[in-house]
Amino acid sequence: MAADITADTSRAVAMGRTGIMVCGHGSRDEAAMAEFQLVAAGIRARLPDFPIETGYLEFARPTIREGLEALRAQGVDHILAVPGMLMAASHVKNDLPWELNTFAAAHDGLDIRFGRDLGLDPRLLAAASERIAEAAGEGPRDETLLVVVGRGTNDSDANSNISKVARMLWEGMGFGWAEVAYSGVAHPRVDACLERAMKMGYRRIVVFPYFLFTGVLVKRIYDQTDAVAAAHPGVAFIKAPYLRDHPLVMDAFADRAAEMLGETPPPNCRLCKYRTQIVGYEDDLGAAQRGHHHHVAGIGTGTHDHGHHDADHHHAGHHHHHHGHDQ
């Protein structure tokens, strides 16, 4: 269950009118946007005392700025900004802080606190295990290989979390083995991972996208799984559903907002390549913060695939702000 924040509500009211901003990535896929709104509705149901708005970095409307403006129009002067993302990669470490800082700097008296990504949360592991179990059925788990697929970023901290998720699901659920793959940017990619898995001799493979929502990338994961399955008819490939609006996921989102009402919210990333020297990313340490989504902010779903997540983009900049890490 989500945390009971009744005791914190009076503190929030004393601070001023507090609203919650759920910050999404945005997608070209209309189904993904509909699923994001299902999650937002679940958060609203769990936090009925707060005005809640959504906004997106790219493609979809409202944009982050438009969502923040909608909260201000309701008399909000304290905003709890929750990243609607699983892992703290460059969008959480750079792009969203830049958007929030820029908006706060332009509006005197507005306080914005930036919360944590969902990250490695026991509720998400429980939700993942349920999704996998419902797809895998009653087959022998010790004779089944689990493949956990992450989004893939140019942030080794975020990528490494997928390995930990896979290990915990493998051991906790009793699978014979587990492998990790990524939909883009990082390696191994899904098709390469599955072809390598063929050499291990497993006749049953469960592919689980560790994603919140559908979209271009999840559909690509399933398509690549189908292609490998067609080339190996003697192996059963099982496509597990992603997390979507699982109740435990929405509980975790609600808690990310609730924990920001305390005096010292938890930091939203501990191995941040922009403020801690990370092997292989030394040049990113201390880089100036800047946004890079302006060319696709709010342009709408159904646009062409411009390869945004299939290249290793450089994400310059980071935290020179009063929310998130500095609290």
Side-chain angles (χ1 to χ4, degrees):
M1 294 295 291
D4 180 1
I5 65 169
T6 304
D8 290 315
T9 302
S10 59
R11 181 188 299 123
V13 172
M15 291 167 55
R17 182 158 172 76
T18 299
I20 296 171
M21 175 74 183
V22 185
C23 304
H25 179 275
S27 174
R28 297 179 292 272
D29 191 290
E30 293 183 3
M33 299 313 304
E35 290 177 358
F36 189 94
Q37 288 303 319
L38 284 177
V39 170
I43 297 172
R44 289 187 178 99
R46 286 160 174 76
L47 302 173
D49 295 333
F50 297 87
I52 297 176
E53 296 291 340
T54 59
Y56 306 98
L57 279 172
E58 60 183 30
F59 300 116
R61 307 292 291 267
T63 64
I64 298 294
R65 178 174 293 274
E66 289 168 343
L68 294 170
E69 288 285 9
L71 285 173
R72 285 189 69 244
Q74 298 173 63
V76 166
D77 52 12
H78 298 276
I79 296 176
L80 311 178
V82 180
M85 301 172 190
L86 281 172
M87 300 296 179
S90 294
H91 293 316
V92 172
K93 295 176 179 178
N94 177 64
D95 301 315
L96 285 175
W98 185 89
E99 293 279 354
L100 299 172
N101 285 337
T102 301
F103 191 84
H107 298 87
D108 290 340
L110 179 64
D111 174 67
I112 301 179
R113 290 189 174 192
F114 186 37
R116 293 191 294 155
D117 56 294
L118 292 177
L120 297 174
D121 188 291
R123 286 162 297 196
L124 268 67
L125 287 172
S129 68
E130 288 185 22
R131 296 297 196 217
I132 293 167
E134 70 181 76
E138 300 299 323
R141 291 196 182 165
D142 61 345
E143 299 176 12
T144 302
L145 185 147
L146 173 67
V147 177
V148 178
V149 185
R151 185 184 191 95
T153 77
N154 67 349
D155 189 299
S156 56
D157 176 29
N159 292 335
S160 69
N161 283 334
I162 302 301
S163 296
K164 188 166 186 176
V165 168
R167 183 83 196 195
M168 295 179 78
L169 291 171
W170 165 22
E171 294 189 13
M173 299 185 72
F175 284 101
W177 192 260
E179 290 286 328
V180 170
Y182 300 93
S183 65
V185 182
H187 293 280
R189 304 294 171 82
V190 176
D191 50 357
C193 175
L194 293 178
E195 289 292 351
R196 184 175 67 186
M198 291 297 96
K199 301 176 183 179
M200 298 183 189
Y202 285 92
R203 314 310 293 171
R204 196 165 181 266
I205 297 176
V206 176
V207 178
F208 169 59
Y210 192 67
F211 280 62
L212 283 173
F213 313 110
T214 189
V216 173
L217 300 183
V218 170
K219 292 174 181 178
R220 184 182 302 163
I221 292 165
Y222 289 151
D223 287 345
Q224 290 178 339
T225 301
D226 288 340
V228 176
H232 300 275
V235 178
F237 286 84
I238 301 165
K239 295 179 288 187
Y242 46 94
L243 293 170
R244 202 167 179 261
D245 59 337
H246 192 288
L248 290 173
V249 172
M250 292 185 287
D251 287 347
F253 268 126
D255 277 357
R256 291 298 179 270
E259 69 188 13
M260 282 188 283
L261 293 171
E263 293 299 324
T264 308
N268 54 13
C269 50
R270 290 179 173 82
L271 291 176
C272 174
K273 66 178 181 176
Y274 297 109
R275 72 182 182 118
T276 301
Q277 185 166 304
I278 301 296
V279 175
Y281 295 92
E282 290 83 0
D283 291 343
D284 288 331
L285 180 63
Q289 188 182 89
R290 72 166 187 247
H292 78 291
H293 285 75
H294 304 294
H295 64 297
V296 287
I299 64 173
T301 56
T303 54
H304 69 283
D305 186 344
H306 68 312
H308 177 70
H309 290 289
D310 295 323
D312 187 6
H313 292 282
H314 174 71
H315 292 76
H318 195 34
H319 302 279
H320 303 291
H321 55 87
H322 61 277
H323 47 263
H325 289 298
D326 300 331
Q327 295 182 339

